[in-house]
């Protein structure tokens, strides 16, 4: 009886060991049977949405870079014309300092005009009118369009508007060099108040700004009216001065 007890203990111990090994073996088989998932690759430009469709990452959907607008400010239009220029083009201006245009956005729009009748008694009178305007454009990153490109579109519209003047006669358009990045003159004659007026419009683009200048005049009481050629030279000179005032306003 005393010998049986130790022997029985050894049998029970041997019986337990295989059970533990089986359990351990089952656990190992279970783990090895699972398929390992590959980690997502970093640096991919797209991600899945679960439907098999690739989605753009924030990096891939960034707006394209556009050139910054060169000019952030506009000059005071009435001060951009030198006093001597105003006196030459509009000798008897009602307001020598000009009449500023009304605008709710002085950062993008500016304008000024001068007009006057130079009375020469029995020799008649000469009427002159000068108008100057600036239009500035910022770059639009969301649209992928630079300020210069937007100004170029307005430049073309201003030319088209001048050429579409109702009643214009002998209309002519010519490219102009030396006034901004691109410029043109539009000249024509127009009958108003019983007199023949000569008109000159100079439209130019300087980077992201469009400068438009119109100069016209006629003679009254028997005075000989000016010709388009007479007014063009003065108008082009004034347009150059208007363009030259832009860098100073952005210092």
């Amino acid at each position: 009886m005393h010998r049986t007890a130790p022997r029985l203990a050894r049998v029970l111990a041997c019986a337990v060991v295989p059970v533990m090994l089986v359990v351990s073996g089952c656990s190992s088989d279970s783990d090895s049977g699972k398929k390992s998932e590959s980690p997502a690759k970093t640096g991919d430009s797209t991600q899945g949405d679960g439907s098999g469709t690739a989605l753009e990452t924030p990096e891939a959907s960034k707006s394209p870079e556009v050139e910054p607008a060169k000019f952030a400010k506009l000059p005071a239009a009435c001060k951009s014309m030198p006093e001597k220029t105003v006196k030459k083009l509009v000798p008897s201006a009602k307001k020598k300092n000009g009449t500023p245009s009304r605008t709710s956005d002085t950062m993008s729009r500016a304008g000024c005009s001068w007009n006057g009748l130079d009375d020469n008694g029995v020799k008649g009178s000469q009427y002159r009118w000068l108008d100057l305007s600036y239009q500035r454009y910022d770059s639009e990153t969301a649209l992928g369009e630079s300020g210069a490109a937007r100004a170029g579109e307005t430049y073309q519209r201003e030319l088209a508007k001048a050429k579409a003047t109702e009643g214009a006669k002998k209309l002519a358009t010519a490219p102009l060099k030396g006034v901004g990045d691109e410029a043109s003159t539009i000249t024509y004659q127009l009958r108003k108040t019983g007199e023949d007026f000569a008109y000159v419009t100079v439209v130019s683009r300087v980077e992201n700004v469009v400068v438009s200048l119109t100069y016209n005049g006629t003679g009254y009481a028997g005075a000989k009216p000016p010709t388009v050629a007479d007014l063009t030279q003065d108008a082009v000179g004034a347009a150059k001065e208007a363009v030259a005032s832009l860098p100073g306003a952005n210092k």
Side-chain angles (χ1 to χ4, degrees):
M1 293 296 291
H2 292 285
R3 292 180 180 179
T4 304
R7 183 179 180 184
L8 179 60
R10 288 196 299 272
V11 171
L12 291 175
C14 292
V16 171
V17 170
V19 173
M20 294 177 65
L21 291 175
V22 170
V23 172
S24 176
C26 291
S27 298
S28 177
D29 290 343
S30 176
D31 291 341
S32 63
K34 292 181 180 179
K35 293 183 179 179
S36 60
E37 295 182 358
S38 300
K41 293 182 180 180
T42 59
D44 288 351
S45 61
T46 58
Q47 297 178 348
D49 63 353
S51 63
T53 303
L55 299 178
E56 290 188 351
T57 63
E59 290 75 14
S61 60
K62 284 182 178 178
S63 300
E65 292 185 3
V66 296
E67 183 182 2
K70 181 174 182 177
F71 297 117
K73 298 179 181 179
L74 291 175
C78 291
K79 294 181 179 180
S80 62
M81 281 288 101
E83 185 178 342
K84 64 178 182 179
T85 300
V86 173
K87 187 175 182 179
K88 178 183 178 182
L89 273 61
V90 190
S92 299
K94 294 178 182 179
K95 295 183 179 181
K96 298 185 182 298
N97 293 328
T99 302
S101 302
R102 295 181 180 180
T103 177
S104 59
D105 186 1
T106 56
M107 295 295 291
S108 300
R109 300 286 185 274
C112 192
S113 63
W114 299 260
N115 70 85
L117 184 67
D118 186 19
D119 192 348
N120 296 306
V122 296
K123 294 182 179 180
S125 302
Q126 290 290 333
Y127 175 80
R128 296 291 186 273
W129 184 76
L130 174 67
D131 182 81
L132 171 66
S133 70
Y134 294 93
Q135 299 180 66
R136 189 188 69 84
Y137 295 90
D138 287 318
S139 296
E140 290 286 354
T141 304
L143 300 176
E145 193 172 21
S146 67
R150 297 179 67 202
E153 295 170 1
T154 296
Y155 169 76
Q156 294 296 336
R157 286 197 297 269
E158 289 295 314
L159 289 180
K161 184 170 68 175
K163 289 188 284 188
T165 301
E166 186 176 354
K169 298 178 180 179
K170 298 182 179 180
L171 189 146
T173 304
L176 181 63
K177 294 183 179 181
V179 185
D181 297 302
E182 54 184 334
S184 298
T185 59
I186 304 94
T187 59
Y188 54 91
Q189 293 181 349
L190 193 63
R191 184 78 173 176
K192 297 194 310 180
T193 64
E195 303 293 342
D196 291 319
F197 280 70
Y199 271 79
V200 179
T201 295
V202 181
V203 183
S204 61
R205 180 188 66 82
V206 191
E207 292 288 346
N208 59 311
V209 177
V210 175
V211 183
S212 300
L213 183 143
T214 297
Y215 184 43
N216 69 70
T218 191
Y220 285 108
K224 184 179 179 181
T227 65
V228 166
D230 293 334
L231 300 186
T232 300
Q233 185 175 0
D234 288 336
V236 171
K240 289 181 178 180
E241 291 177 320
V243 167
S245 68
L246 281 167
N250 286 268
K251 287 184 178 180

